[in-house]
Amino acid sequence: MNDRTGASLRLAGLADRGEVGAAYVQWPDGRTGVLTRSAAPVDVIQRTGRLLAGAAAAGLPVPAYQKIVDLGTQRVIIQERLPGSPPDNVDNRLVGDLLDLVDRFTGLGDGGVDLELYLTSSGPGFCLHETLAGHNDRSRRLLARIRAIAAEQPDDRPESGNDLVHLDFHPANVLVDRGRISGLVDWDGVARADRRFALVTLSFDLSIRLRTGTECRGLDGSGVERVVEQLACAAVEDVRRWWAHMSLRQVEWTIRHGYDRAVVDWYETIAERGLDRLDSGRPISARELLD
């Protein structure tokens, strides 16, 4: 980065969380930033930066993109370093704060691309249909259900809504400072759609936390119930498509990355329970997400 641009950034440390990796850097003028890598084209990253600038102007705790540099095989993003750190525990209070945060993204999707669910063909590095097709009979049945849902609507049908949507909305992508949310990070996935799509991602995450007991002291069924109550305010047919997407995404990802069989099995169970209920025209309830 420095060789290419003459930016004279100083390495201040490496992030100890996350799956891709990030570095903390300091500019010559004293500003701090976070350096991450991206495979996305420059224009896509620039569009995300504009969306985040609009969200920040509306008072949302999102980072500004300070610099984007194309290094050929990958792009480098320097973004503002927000205060706080990922929560060490997820409880009912944090869930309430997450729900409030989702509501604040209402109407901020102008300039974003329509949400793509990949229900008929594989996504770019995730939502790979081939993984479910080749795993076992159960995963093949799930894939058939997902494709059947996709077949009910035209392929070019855009998802409804003009909200800003974070496509990987779960507690590990939140920063907390003195007990309150101070940032929402990891904006590699962003779209324009109904903000409540994010609650499907959150539902899957909370369910597996409760199932495995992972960093969830003070989280119980009442916290999950609050999430599904908000999700039930969206049209059942929309939630059904979102649930199909997340079923594909979570089951496929955990199979391909070698997660414990119990985790894969639980995600398949959540997927099946949710689709069973939504297929009958009823909104999701906490029962589908709890053991």
Side-chain angles (χ1 to χ4, degrees):
M1 173 74 178
N2 285 337
D3 289 345
R4 182 68 62 89
T5 67
S8 299
L9 292 169
R10 182 180 67 83
L11 179 65
L14 299 177
D16 60 0
R17 303 204 190 183
E19 296 181 355
V20 176
Y24 301 126
V25 296
Q26 187 173 46
W27 293 90
D29 62 8
R31 289 178 299 151
T32 57
V34 180
L35 183 152
T36 60
R37 299 168 295 167
S38 175
V42 169
D43 64 323
V44 171
I45 301 172
Q46 290 172 335
R47 181 173 59 230
T48 299
R50 290 192 294 270
L51 288 168
L52 294 182
L60 276 295
V62 299
Y65 279 11
Q66 298 170 337
K67 195 171 186 64
I68 302 164
V69 177
D70 190 350
L71 296 182
T73 58
Q74 61 186 341
R75 267 54 63 195
V76 170
I77 304 168
I78 311 293
Q79 57 189 278
E80 175 188 10
R81 184 175 181 180
L82 298 174
S85 58
D88 294 322
N89 183 60
V90 178
D91 56 18
N92 289 342
R93 174 181 167 178
L94 180 61
V95 170
D97 290 344
L98 290 169
L99 291 174
D100 292 341
L101 182 59
V102 169
D103 278 344
R104 294 172 64 191
F105 285 100
T106 303
L108 297 178
D110 282 341
V113 295
D114 290 332
L115 175 64
E116 174 60 66
L117 298 181
Y118 305 110
L119 301 184
T120 58
S121 60
S122 295
F126 65 101
C127 288
L128 304 185
H129 287 222
E130 295 82 1
T131 303
L132 268 63
H135 184 59
N136 61 26
D137 288 342
R138 187 182 188 187
S139 65
R140 282 188 283 273
R141 288 193 298 270
L142 177 60
L143 180 61
R145 295 185 72 172
I146 291 166
R147 289 175 170 172
I149 290 170
E152 295 173 9
Q153 299 286 348
D155 287 344
D156 59 353
R157 172 188 180 270
E159 298 301 310
S160 61
N162 192 39
D163 306 330
L164 186 62
V165 180
H166 187 295
L167 299 186
D168 203 15
F169 187 80
H170 57 79
N173 284 329
V174 169
L175 302 177
V176 175
D177 186 35
R178 288 171 289 186
R180 292 297 180 183
I181 293 175
S182 56
L184 178 60
V185 297
D186 192 11
W187 285 91
D188 283 347
V190 59
R192 175 183 61 212
D194 188 316
R195 66 194 181 282
R196 290 168 294 199
F197 170 87
L199 301 182
V200 176
T201 312
L202 182 59
S203 295
F204 273 66
D205 181 89
L206 297 181
S207 180
I208 197 68
R209 285 179 184 273
L210 286 170
R211 176 74 172 180
T212 60
T214 303
E215 298 176 345
C216 59
R217 300 180 307 278
L219 175 67
D220 58 27
S222 65
V224 175
E225 186 65 45
R226 291 187 64 184
V227 176
V228 297
E229 284 175 357
Q230 292 297 314
L231 192 56
C233 295
V236 168
E237 186 50 44
D238 287 341
V239 177
R240 184 167 170 254
R241 288 173 58 83
W242 304 341
W243 202 271
H245 163 84
M246 194 56 57
S247 299
L248 169 63
R249 182 165 132 195
Q250 292 294 93
V251 173
E252 188 276 327
W253 184 269
T254 50
I255 290 172
R256 184 158 49 93
H257 288 83
Y259 281 62
D260 289 344
R261 180 172 179 175
V263 173
V264 177
D265 286 347
W266 182 242
Y267 276 134
E268 287 181 312
T269 297
I270 297 170
E272 293 161 352
R273 288 179 180 178
L275 291 178
D276 286 346
R277 188 171 177 90
L278 293 163
D279 282 347
S280 69
R282 296 176 294 166
I284 291 291
S285 72
R287 184 178 305 168
E288 280 73 51
L289 299 166
L290 302 173
D291 195 359

